[in-house]
Amino acid sequence: MVEGETIDTASLDGYVPFDSERQQAYIDAGYWRNITFHDVVDRHAEEIPDYTALVGPHRELTYAELAANSRRIAAYFVGELGLRPNERVVLQLPNCTEFLEAFVACSRVGVIPVMVLPRHRSAEANHVVDLTDARAYVVDYGRYSSGFDFVGLADDVRSSHESLEHLIAVTDGETSSVDGCDAFAEMRDERWVDKYGDEVSKTDVDPSKPGVMLLSGGTTGLPKAIPRTHNEYVFQWERMADAADVRDDWVAFPGVPIGHNASLNCIVGAALWAGATVAVEPELKPDALMAFIERVGGNYTLPMPTQILDILEHPDLDQYDLSSLEVLVSGGQKVPPRVVEEAVDRWNVGFCNIFGMAEGPLICTRPGDDVKVQANTVGRPIAPEADEIRIVETDRETEVPPGEAGELAVRGPGYFTGYFRNEKENTENFSDDGWFFTEDVLARRDDGNLEVYGRIKDTIIRGGENIYAPGIEDELVEHSKIANAALIGMPDDRLGERPAAFVELTDDATELPLKDVSSFLEERGIAVFKRPEYLEILESLPRTEVGKIEKQALKDRIVDAESK
């Protein structure tokens, strides 16, 4: 590495950069501040050095300590591991202080962290390392109670990929090293700065280049890699902090894994921008989250809708003091209106009902909105003067009028420019002038707030009629016997698909005939063709680690049943 070295996108094969004209326009308009992730931390380290930046199960760090530790780790990265700008490092860690120390360290030397989630296993891990040619892999080893051998997983992946040279283990503090791994704690030693600090300081990280790679969500298939630049991501940190009115004396904590865009962007990033405290807890079950809120005085968080419902219905809820809560953010799947209304009523909180994607779109209600707006819409873009949004017909050219549903298309300073090394997806979902077609169905109300109908792939087409599953699911959970519901398309030779419902019953319900559901929906004015023609009661709907219903598992269940 030489003095003045900059990141060269030409060496990042498969990355689609912003064109120079758009970059300059965003800078001139003040949307892009041309600062990196570590610049955000360093600003606070200078202005409020003793203010608490991170709180975890075992440690607390001030902003000055976070900045210092990340410099030491960065020095270890370049000096001992030989990592260079544009190279990738997999982070597969629970919510912990080490995650953010490593994240900021990567920023300092232009290394791109790749967000592999704790729930990912061999198929996803091998795919991501193969896709990104990652050179290092950071995992937990016994410091947090995961119940899984992540070192073994990473070691197996390493044996199959020549690019993957280094494993880094976060240990319990008593174990100084793990065979075949670098110990995370040893990277925090000041001697690395003494030895390699000049190499770190000479690295000129370009904020208009990728600073993180997120993974696409969903419940089927292998994830796509989503590069996000420092400029576009910091832009969203600032605007999300403004939208949610995050204050510097708040304690913000993610209720889902930090590797998710929802946590890293909306909670962690917004809090770091505001100079607030980020609190992290690896255990994300209701009891642990409630105890954590009470212990740290949590003000600002993002749980999934199912997590909020689990807390609201928890038998010991009254034993926990959750009065510190100020703002709840929730999304990832459609938030049932009654969940919003119950949460606002119970805790007197502002509710940011959010629609977001790792690819960039970030739309939400504001804490001061009327509760009916919070419950029934996802609000407005976080940067309405900068975010370009269109809702289009199936031709992806004609905009639909207000009130009608169509596909959401976006472009702007907070949106990505293409999947990494995935020309097929980029060709299918980007226009020549930079519009990204999200495959999500939304409608814009006359008041400017947006409503979500679901994914295009979540649309059931029965005899040529479109049925947007989330809207019917919202109606189903209003039934006194239904706690949760999922609607999928059941294959049909004549009509193409028929709507099929899977439901969880409330604790006091023992049965629910299909005819009763049909009568209920008829009373609520739901058209005949939208009503379920199949009903199955499950003890619990299949869910991902963060609470999303796995509809593919339900579709497989239907197919398996029909094949027998």
Side-chain angles (χ1 to χ4, degrees):
M1 189 180 300
V2 296
E3 185 173 0
E5 181 175 9
T6 59
I7 297 178
D8 177 13
T9 54
S11 66
L12 190 53
D13 177 55
Y15 167 64
V16 181
F18 283 84
D19 66 63
S20 58
E21 184 176 339
R22 284 177 65 193
Q23 288 189 46
Q24 194 59 52
Y26 297 150
I27 292 170
D28 292 344
Y31 301 145
W32 283 5
R33 295 181 177 272
N34 264 345
I35 58 176
T36 61
F37 303 149
H38 64 276
D39 287 334
V40 174
V41 172
D42 289 350
R43 180 188 68 189
H44 298 316
E46 293 179 7
E47 296 175 356
I48 48 172
D50 298 326
Y51 195 84
T52 303
L54 294 178
V55 174
H58 305 301
R59 315 164 51 235
E60 291 189 10
L61 294 175
T62 65
Y63 271 101
E65 290 169 335
L66 173 59
N69 283 358
S70 64
R71 287 192 187 96
R72 295 162 185 160
I73 296 167
Y76 190 94
F77 281 169
V78 298
E80 293 293 299
L81 304 186
L83 299 179
R84 292 295 180 264
N86 275 337
E87 293 183 331
R88 276 74 70 193
V89 172
V90 167
L91 299 186
Q92 189 176 24
L93 291 171
N95 291 2
C96 58
T97 55
E98 289 86 357
F99 191 112
L100 289 173
E101 289 175 283
F103 180 80
V104 179
C106 287
S107 173
R108 293 190 183 281
V109 288
V111 170
I112 305 171
V114 184
M115 305 288 103
V116 173
L117 302 175
R119 66 178 170 86
H120 285 150
R121 294 295 182 261
S122 178
E124 293 88 359
N126 276 288
H127 167 73
V128 169
V129 171
D130 186 59
L131 176 64
T132 65
D133 297 319
R135 287 198 58 206
Y137 201 128
V138 186
V139 294
D140 174 51
Y141 181 76
R143 185 165 176 80
Y144 305 101
S145 301
S146 64
F148 181 78
D149 181 12
F150 285 102
V151 168
L153 169 64
D155 197 33
D156 287 344
V157 175
R158 177 169 59 176
S159 68
S160 303
H161 294 85
E162 292 184 3
S163 68
L164 187 56
E165 300 177 39
H166 310 288
L167 302 187
I168 300 165
V170 175
T171 64
D172 61 8
E174 298 177 1
T175 306
S176 61
S177 63
V178 181
D179 287 345
C181 298
D182 294 82
F184 192 96
E186 293 183 4
M187 298 194 298
R188 297 193 191 102
D189 198 298
E190 183 65 24
R191 73 180 186 273
W192 307 124
V193 173
D194 295 339
K195 192 172 183 180
Y196 306 115
D198 286 347
E199 294 190 50
V200 175
S201 62
K202 291 175 182 178
T203 306
D204 184 11
V205 181
D206 185 345
S208 67
K209 304 304 187 292
V212 63
M213 279 194 191
L214 303 164
L215 300 183
S216 61
T219 57
T220 62
L222 293 171
K224 299 182 286 289
I226 301 167
R228 301 295 300 274
T229 69
H230 295 265
N231 267 330
E232 69 186 86
Y233 220 46
V234 170
F235 168 79
Q236 289 199 318
W237 290 4
E238 178 181 2
R239 295 313 175 91
M240 188 64 206
D242 289 343
D245 195 22
V246 179
R247 300 197 297 266
D248 60 6
D249 60 349
W250 277 7
V251 175
F253 60 101
V256 297
I258 300 180
H260 277 286
N261 176 64
S263 284
L264 189 59
N265 193 351
C266 302
I267 303 301
V268 175
L272 290 177
W273 177 264
T277 298
V278 176
V280 285
E281 165 58 48
E283 176 60 54
L284 302 176
K285 300 297 183 182
D287 290 282
L289 284 176
M290 290 189 289
F292 188 63
I293 294 168
E294 183 175 60
R295 178 169 68 85
V296 303
N299 308 110
Y300 177 62
T301 184
L302 187 153
M304 293 293 292
T306 50
Q307 290 174 297
I308 299 175
L309 191 59
D310 287 343
I311 291 174
L312 285 168
E313 296 178 347
H314 197 283
D316 300 325
L317 173 59
D318 291 336
Q319 296 182 18
Y320 295 92
D321 181 6
L322 308 184
S323 61
S324 61
L325 288 173
E326 296 278 356
V327 172
L328 289 182
V329 182
S330 191
Q333 64 186 69
K334 200 170 188 299
V335 186
R338 68 182 178 92
V339 172
V340 176
E341 292 167 353
E342 288 180 27
V344 171
D345 181 64
R346 172 112 195 177
W347 296 309
N348 191 30
V349 293
F351 203 103
C352 292
N353 193 340
I354 198 165
F355 169 84
M357 300 173 67
E359 289 87 342
L362 195 48
I363 299 164
C364 73
T365 59
R366 288 5 182 215
D369 285 345
D370 183 88
V371 68
K372 293 299 182 184
V373 171
Q374 295 173 343
N376 295 288
T377 82
V378 291
R380 291 86 66 201
I382 59 169
E385 79 289 0
D387 294 334
E388 298 180 77
I389 283 185
R390 300 167 60 210
I391 298 177
V392 298
E393 294 183 357
T394 54
D395 62 7
R396 289 186 162 177
E397 294 181 1
T398 308
E399 291 197 50
V400 303
E404 291 191 14
E407 183 179 7
L408 176 70
V410 298
R411 184 177 65 179
Y415 306 135
F416 90 136
T417 50
Y419 296 104
F420 186 60
R421 295 177 178 172
N422 197 328
E423 185 176 350
K424 179 178 182 293
E425 285 282 350
N426 293 338
T427 300
E428 289 179 358
N429 290 314
F430 276 89
S431 68
D432 292 339
D433 53 353
W435 286 90
F436 171 57
F437 297 94
T438 65
E439 298 185 343
D440 283 283
V441 180
L442 281 79
R444 193 194 309 270
R445 304 197 322 182
D446 288 336
D447 63 5
N449 291 299
L450 293 155
E451 295 179 337
V452 176
Y453 286 82
R455 299 283 289 170
I456 288 177
K457 294 175 182 177
D458 201 23
T459 301
I460 300 164
I461 304 177
R462 182 192 186 279
E465 297 281 2
N466 289 346
I467 304 169
Y468 297 114
I472 305 303
E473 291 161 357
D474 283 350
E475 298 292 342
L476 288 171
V477 296
E478 292 298 320
H479 193 289
S480 61
K481 291 186 177 182
I482 297 177
N484 288 295
L487 194 76
I488 66 166
M490 178 173 61
D492 184 83
D493 291 339
R494 186 170 68 88
L495 296 173
E497 292 179 302
R498 295 178 186 267
F502 292 83
V503 302
E504 297 174 10
L505 297 183
T506 56
D507 292 339
D508 57 349
T510 57
E511 61 178 1
L512 181 63
L514 176 60
K515 64 181 179 63
D516 289 1
V517 172
S518 296
S519 297
F520 172 78
L521 293 176
E522 181 179 11
E523 292 172 3
R524 297 180 71 85
I526 302 302
V528 173
F529 75 88
K530 295 181 180 180
R531 300 174 202 163
E533 299 175 49
Y534 172 90
L535 175 68
E536 185 171 345
I537 296 169
L538 300 179
E539 184 175 338
S540 61
L541 296 172
R543 289 181 174 84
T544 67
E545 181 185 63
V546 297
K548 286 187 178 182
I549 294 172
E550 287 193 280
K551 289 195 172 181
Q552 186 58 49
L554 298 176
K555 291 178 181 178
D556 293 342
R557 186 182 182 95
I558 287 280
V559 171
D560 290 344
E562 290 183 339
S563 63
K564 292 179 181 178

